[in-house]
Amino acid sequence: MEKATLEIDGISSYNLNLLNSAGIPAQPIKLSEYHLSVKIPSNMLKEARAVLEKHNRIYREKGLTGLKRRIVTFLTSYTLIAGMICGAVLVWLYSSLVTDIEVAGLSEITEESIISAVLHEEKLPVFYDNLDNEKLRNAVLNVEGIAGATVRREGTRIIVTVSEELPKVPVKDTQTKGNIVALTGGVVTKIVVVSGTAKVKTGDTVRPGTVLVESAVYDAEGNKTGEVVPEAIVEARVWYSEILEYPDRESYLEQAARDVQTKKDAFTAGLPKDKIFITYWVKESSNDKSVDKNRKISIYFEVIQSIAA
Amino acid sequence: MFIDEVMFKLGITPDGSLGGDRVSVFSGRGVFVEGHKGIVSFSDSEIEIKLRGARLKLSGSGLSIKEINPDEIFIVGQVVSVVRE
């Protein structure tokens, strides 16, 4: 049975008799003439309080005894110890584990590519004893555009410091004295010759390989006076085409309209910066010679781009 | 001898309706009092218990009240004398 302890001041025999008169069984623990320490059943604590207060007794409750007290004692003492042990374990774990990656020194390359290269080699969290910095460094060096890297541990983090490769500068050939030819066919819209002799003019239609600017230079009479390294800006209207084919049936036009729009969107979205989209048009034809007489939709995209090579 | 037999010889009915009390002494090591009316005084050497129409004086050494409830008191210690006054 769970018991509560009461400490009651005053004449002990009187106080015991008070408890008795209220029908409360008591087990004195300490008994002196003017001080009584007594155990009573917990379920009679309320009656005990009532009778002691009714008779103006000075008393203190010392808390529960029995199973509940033992549980409370256990929870307060062992929980504290368990908490301290858990805390110590957590501190140890926290100080022993590497949980994060920090990358420094990036400008062009994304942090994600470095982190993924590191994580490919080592899954986090990892005990720092198991960490192989050299292996991680090699993984980082394998990332494209990385010239150098250092890997070190700092607390719970891996610090990766990288230096990127210098950007590739386009090399311009200033020695070879060759002609500038058209890379692709089109109608010349602009030609600016810095050195050399222009062989085409605005409005000319050129084919791939057509000489645009010659390395030879001539005098007013047309006599060749020498050769230079030609340099020029040549732009032209260029057409690209795509062909869609449909079986000969009534509803193909509806489908073709959707396909043309999709093709146009895809073409303009994928256009490089040095090409300027002008317009597009569609031409329809049927393949009458074919057995199934299928329908053909040709899409022409018109762009302006540099054609000089 | 059984307690019932003792009671019979004393002319006490088994239900204790005599309204009195019963004091059991255990080899001088403890006293069990039934039907008490409270404690009058106590010390290590002497405990006085109120009974109906009488008082019970226990003398001895190391006396202490082990348990008390409205009907019974159990006193432990070296009991030397039990006097009913």
Side-chain angles (χ1 to χ4, degrees):
Chain A
M1 179 187 284
E2 290 168 13
K3 301 235 171 175
T5 303
L6 291 176
E7 284 190 350
I8 311 167
D9 295 335
I11 301 167
S12 296
S13 56
Y14 176 71
N15 291 333
L16 268 176
N17 290 337
L18 268 182
L19 293 174
N20 263 301
S21 65
I24 300 163
Q27 283 181 317
I29 305 167
K30 284 181 191 169
L31 194 57
S32 64
E33 199 172 348
Y34 293 103
H35 182 79
L36 171 66
S37 182
V38 69
K39 276 184 184 177
I40 63 166
S42 298
N43 57 2
M44 301 202 80
L45 197 55
K46 198 175 168 186
E47 289 89 333
R49 282 186 198 128
V51 72
L52 291 171
E53 280 163 18
K54 186 181 173 187
H55 291 87
N56 296 321
R57 297 288 87 191
I58 298 167
Y59 72 98
R60 292 170 293 283
E61 290 174 27
K62 292 287 283 183
L64 295 169
T65 62
L67 181 63
K68 199 175 276 184
R69 181 188 61 78
R70 282 197 289 277
I71 289 170
V72 170
T73 307
F74 175 83
L75 288 177
T76 51
S77 58
Y78 287 92
T79 307
L80 181 66
I81 294 166
M84 287 170 71
I85 291 168
C86 286
V89 169
L90 285 175
V91 167
W92 176 78
L93 268 178
Y94 182 73
S95 57
S96 306
L97 285 174
V98 176
T99 57
D100 198 12
I101 303 170
E102 194 177 302
V103 185
L106 290 174
S107 60
E108 295 294 323
I109 296 165
T110 60
E111 190 175 296
E112 286 71 29
S113 60
I114 305 293
I115 290 173
S116 65
V118 172
L119 290 178
H120 188 259
E121 288 298 323
E122 198 71 80
K123 296 278 179 288
L124 297 184
V126 62
F127 280 104
Y128 67 80
D129 284 344
N130 300 338
L131 204 63
D132 187 346
N133 287 352
E134 195 55 35
K135 189 172 75 176
L136 298 182
R137 180 175 170 273
N138 289 333
V140 174
L141 284 174
N142 286 334
V143 175
E144 197 173 332
I146 295 294
T150 58
V151 177
R152 69 181 197 282
R153 185 186 73 92
E154 206 174 277
T156 60
R157 294 172 303 162
I158 298 171
I159 309 289
V160 181
T161 310
V162 296
S163 52
E164 295 181 3
E165 288 174 354
L166 292 172
K168 290 184 177 69
V169 179
V171 180
K172 194 173 176 182
D173 185 359
T174 57
Q175 301 299 316
T176 310
K177 294 168 182 171
N179 297 330
I180 296 176
V181 295
L183 283 171
T184 182
V187 175
V188 177
T189 56
K190 178 178 169 184
I191 177 161
V192 179
V193 178
V194 179
S195 62
T197 306
K199 300 299 283 181
V200 293
K201 60 182 185 300
T202 306
D204 285 357
T205 301
V206 295
R207 292 173 158 276
T210 304
V211 176
L212 302 173
V213 180
E214 201 177 26
S215 59
V217 285
Y218 303 89
D219 60 12
E221 283 77 41
N223 301 316
K224 185 176 174 182
T225 56
E227 257 188 289
V228 293
V229 177
E231 196 178 342
I233 300 166
V234 185
E235 286 180 354
R237 284 158 64 191
V238 180
W239 292 270
Y240 295 89
S241 65
E242 287 202 40
I243 295 171
L244 305 171
E245 263 186 273
Y246 300 92
D248 185 15
R249 54 186 166 83
E250 286 183 1
S251 62
Y252 84 97
L253 279 174
E254 197 179 310
Q255 177 65 38
R258 285 199 293 270
D259 291 347
V260 166
Q261 186 61 41
T262 307
K263 289 282 181 189
K264 185 236 172 186
D265 292 344
F267 182 82
T268 51
L271 208 60
K273 282 179 184 173
D274 59 340
K275 293 181 182 176
I276 301 161
F277 177 76
I278 302 298
T279 186
Y280 78 105
W281 66 89
V282 176
K283 190 178 164 190
E284 187 188 350
S285 61
S286 61
N287 187 359
D288 292 333
K289 289 176 185 174
S290 167
V291 177
D292 55 1
K293 294 184 181 176
N294 57 343
R295 310 296 297 183
K296 270 193 344 188
I297 301 285
S298 302
I299 315 165
Y300 297 92
F301 300 103
E302 185 180 336
V303 299
I304 288 185
Q305 67 175 81
S306 171
I307 59 166
Chain B
M1 190 179 290
F2 293 102
I3 193 77
D4 293 343
E5 197 178 340
V6 174
M7 288 171 76
F8 176 75
K9 287 187 175 175
L10 291 172
I12 301 168
T13 53
D15 62 356
S17 60
L18 197 64
D21 49 75
R22 189 158 78 189
V23 180
S24 309
V25 181
F26 297 93
S27 303
R29 291 190 178 181
V31 176
F32 187 59
V33 182
E34 294 168 273
H36 72 92
K37 296 294 172 190
I39 296 167
V40 179
S41 67
F42 65 86
S43 68
D44 283 354
S45 57
E46 193 175 273
I47 294 178
E48 191 173 342
I49 298 166
K50 192 177 173 186
L51 303 172
R52 178 184 272 189
R55 288 194 177 187
L56 190 72
K57 265 189 184 171
L58 308 175
S59 306
S61 59
L63 298 181
S64 68
I65 301 167
K66 184 71 179 170
E67 192 164 338
I68 179 168
N69 64 41
D71 289 326
E72 304 155 340
I73 302 178
F74 187 47
I75 292 159
V76 293
Q78 196 65 43
V79 181
V80 176
S81 70
V82 180
V83 180
R84 189 186 182 91
E85 292 177 341

